Amino acid sequence: MKNVVLILVLVLFASCEQNKIAYVDNVRLMDEYQEKIDADAKFKADEEVLTKKRDSMSQAYQLEMQAFQTNSQKMSQKKAQEEYGVLQQKGQFLGQQLQQEAQQAQAANQTILDSIISTVKAEIKSYGKSKGYTYILGGGDGGSVLYGTDANDVTDEVVKLLNDKYKK
């Protein structure tokens, strides 16, 4: 009888084993992860290049339109309409070209961001396994942790791990 009670007590204690839970502040993690910081800087530089190109092309087009308006008074109405139509088509083509380039840049940036997110998730999973966590929850804006003690916040450790691996 003692053995049965002892076994029941051991089973009860085993079933009451606590899960090891931590959380990561998603926003802070991404703000401090160097690969994400570098990607954001690249995105911004790419955007500035596109903006300069768009501004330059727009300015050249506007100058062409101004020249047309000045010269159109000396042209026949038919000739002026033809040239205006050509200029309109050119403007539409330039707009489409710039829009396409912006969409391509945005798609490339999204691919890089998706890769970074995959890397972060894989590293958090690896970190959790190596440290014996049952769960690592996501906190911060949009996260699922409404409250957690600082002792359960492993954001700094994960950021350091990610940044150390990224430097290599």
Side-chain angles (χ1 to χ4, degrees), residues 21-159:
I21 300 173
Y23 71 94
V24 173
D25 184 328
N26 298 325
V27 174
R28 206 174 95 222
L29 175 72
M30 295 308 274
D31 285 347
E32 296 176 15
Y33 180 29
Q34 191 61 48
E35 184 176 8
K36 172 72 167 54
I37 293 168
D38 292 347
D40 285 346
K42 182 189 177 304
F43 299 161
K44 187 175 180 180
D46 290 349
E47 189 176 291
E48 287 175 6
V49 167
L50 281 174
T51 299
K52 286 179 183 178
K53 183 176 182 179
R54 183 191 67 230
D55 291 348
S56 174
M57 292 172 81
S58 293
Q59 188 176 28
Y61 179 73
Q62 286 174 355
L63 289 174
E64 243 182 292
M65 283 298 283
Q66 287 174 352
F68 164 75
Q69 288 173 347
T70 302
N71 295 331
S72 68
Q73 297 168 356
K74 300 173 190 171
M75 298 178 192
S76 68
Q77 187 175 0
K78 183 178 178 186
K79 175 87 171 151
Q81 286 177 341
E82 287 175 4
E83 284 198 31
Y84 183 71
V86 169
L87 283 173
Q88 277 188 316
Q89 286 180 342
K90 185 176 183 178
Q92 289 174 347
F93 174 76
L94 291 175
Q96 290 170 349
Q97 182 182 5
L98 290 171
Q99 184 178 12
Q100 185 179 26
E101 288 178 14
Q103 288 172 343
Q104 288 172 344
Q106 186 177 16
N109 292 346
Q110 188 61 48
T111 300
I112 292 169
L113 185 59
D114 289 346
S115 173
I116 290 171
I117 290 170
S118 292
T119 298
V120 167
K121 285 181 177 180
E123 287 301 324
I124 289 172
K125 184 177 181 179
S126 174
Y127 172 84
K129 283 183 179 181
S130 71
K131 299 292 184 175
Y133 286 102
T134 309
Y135 301 100
I136 295 183
L137 308 172
D141 291 341
S144 58
V145 176
L146 300 176
Y147 171 76
T149 63
D150 289 343
N152 292 21
D153 184 355
V154 295
T155 307
D156 290 335
E157 294 172 46
V158 174
V159 167

